[in-house]
Amino acid sequence: MSIWIEKYRPQSLDDILLAPSTKKILKNILESPNIHSDFTNLLFTGSPGCGKTTSGKFIPKVLRLPSLYINASEENGIEVLRTKIKDFATSQTIDNKLKIVIIDESDGTTPAFQSACRNVIESTYKTTRYIFTANYPDKIIAPLHSRLKEIVFGEIEEKLVLKRVLEILKAENIEIPKEQGTNLVTLIK
């Protein structure tokens, strides 16, 4: 038995549950004819569970670009920036492809980390783009925030979440008794 989060991970942009306005912005990014010059550093903001991390991980996959994922709630020290991030960002790819660094939960990093990150972003812009995610964008220092295009992820409609949950339960041959239906809706909320 596989873990459901991996088994049912979205395989296309249409599979990701997002607010329509957010999906449109991401679609424009993914369909850009000149990704090297059009792709800018991004800051995905919004409440927990609205698709920021899934979208951040999805972009390099679809664009077939090398990527590095950092969960800043676990790896947020300056040493991570100096070693993992900087080493990845400054390394050369064989085919000169753009690289993407995803810094998830970046609002949990220190101002010192963010300031140093800003310097790395500036020095590696020719080869690397950055996607930050944050529940609280006001915790991102202004000098870093000003170098990122903020995309606000809106709330996902509950009916879309319910539909996806029911699809997964059906695929797993799990039936929810009718009397538990309201509990399922409450859980989704």
Side-chain angles (χ1 to χ4, degrees), residues 114-154:
Q114 292 177 32
S115 182
C117 211
R118 183 199 66 171
N119 294 332
V120 171
I121 288 172
E122 290 174 352
S123 67
T124 61
Y125 192 77
K126 288 184 179 181
T127 61
T128 310
R129 298 298 181 275
Y130 297 79
I131 299 173
F132 292 79
T133 71
N135 295 332
Y136 306 100
D138 57 317
K139 291 188 176 183
I140 304 299
I141 62 170
L144 176 60
H145 200 284
S146 68
R147 284 154 178 83
L148 309 171
K149 177 183 178 186
E150 185 174 356
I151 298 174
V152 179
F153 281 56

Side-chain angles (χ1 to χ4, degrees), residues 59-189:
I59 288 174
K61 179 182 175 185
V62 170
L63 297 175
R64 294 187 175 117
L65 297 175
S67 65
L68 172 67
Y69 173 82
I70 300 291
N71 183 335
S73 66
E74 297 170 1
E75 300 179 277
N76 57 17
I78 290 290
E79 208 49 43
V80 170
L81 181 64
R82 289 185 183 138
T83 56
K84 284 177 111 172
I85 296 173
K86 193 171 183 179
D87 287 352
F88 176 80
T90 57
S91 66
Q92 191 70 26
T93 59
I94 294 172
D95 51 7
N96 290 325
K97 278 190 173 181
L98 194 62
K99 295 175 287 182
I100 298 178
V101 174
I102 302 141
I103 303 177
D104 198 16
E105 301 185 35
S106 61
D107 46 348
T109 60
T110 64
F113 178 93
Q114 292 177 32
S115 182
C117 211
R118 183 199 66 171
N119 294 332
V120 171
I121 288 172
E122 290 174 352
S123 67
T124 61
Y125 192 77
K126 288 184 179 181
T127 61
T128 310
R129 298 298 181 275
Y130 297 79
I131 299 173
F132 292 79
T133 71
N135 295 332
Y136 306 100
D138 57 317
K139 291 188 176 183
I140 304 299
I141 62 170
L144 176 60
H145 200 284
S146 68
R147 284 154 178 83
L148 309 171
K149 177 183 178 186
E150 185 174 356
I151 298 174
V152 179
F153 281 56
E155 294 294 321
I156 303 167
E157 293 180 39
E158 289 174 12
K159 66 181 181 181
L160 294 176
V161 177
L162 178 60
K163 180 181 175 199
R164 177 63 56 86
V165 168
L166 292 174
E167 288 169 357
I168 292 170
L169 291 173
K170 183 177 179 183
E172 294 293 326
N173 294 314
I174 297 173
E175 290 187 37
I176 300 292
K178 285 189 180 202
E179 66 272 8
Q180 294 297 319
T182 55
N183 290 341
L184 182 61
V185 171
T186 302
L187 178 65
I188 288 168
K189 287 182 182 183

Side-chain angles (χ1 to χ4, degrees), residues 46-57:
S47 61
C50 65
K52 301 180 302 291
T53 300
T54 297
S55 298
K57 288 180 173 181

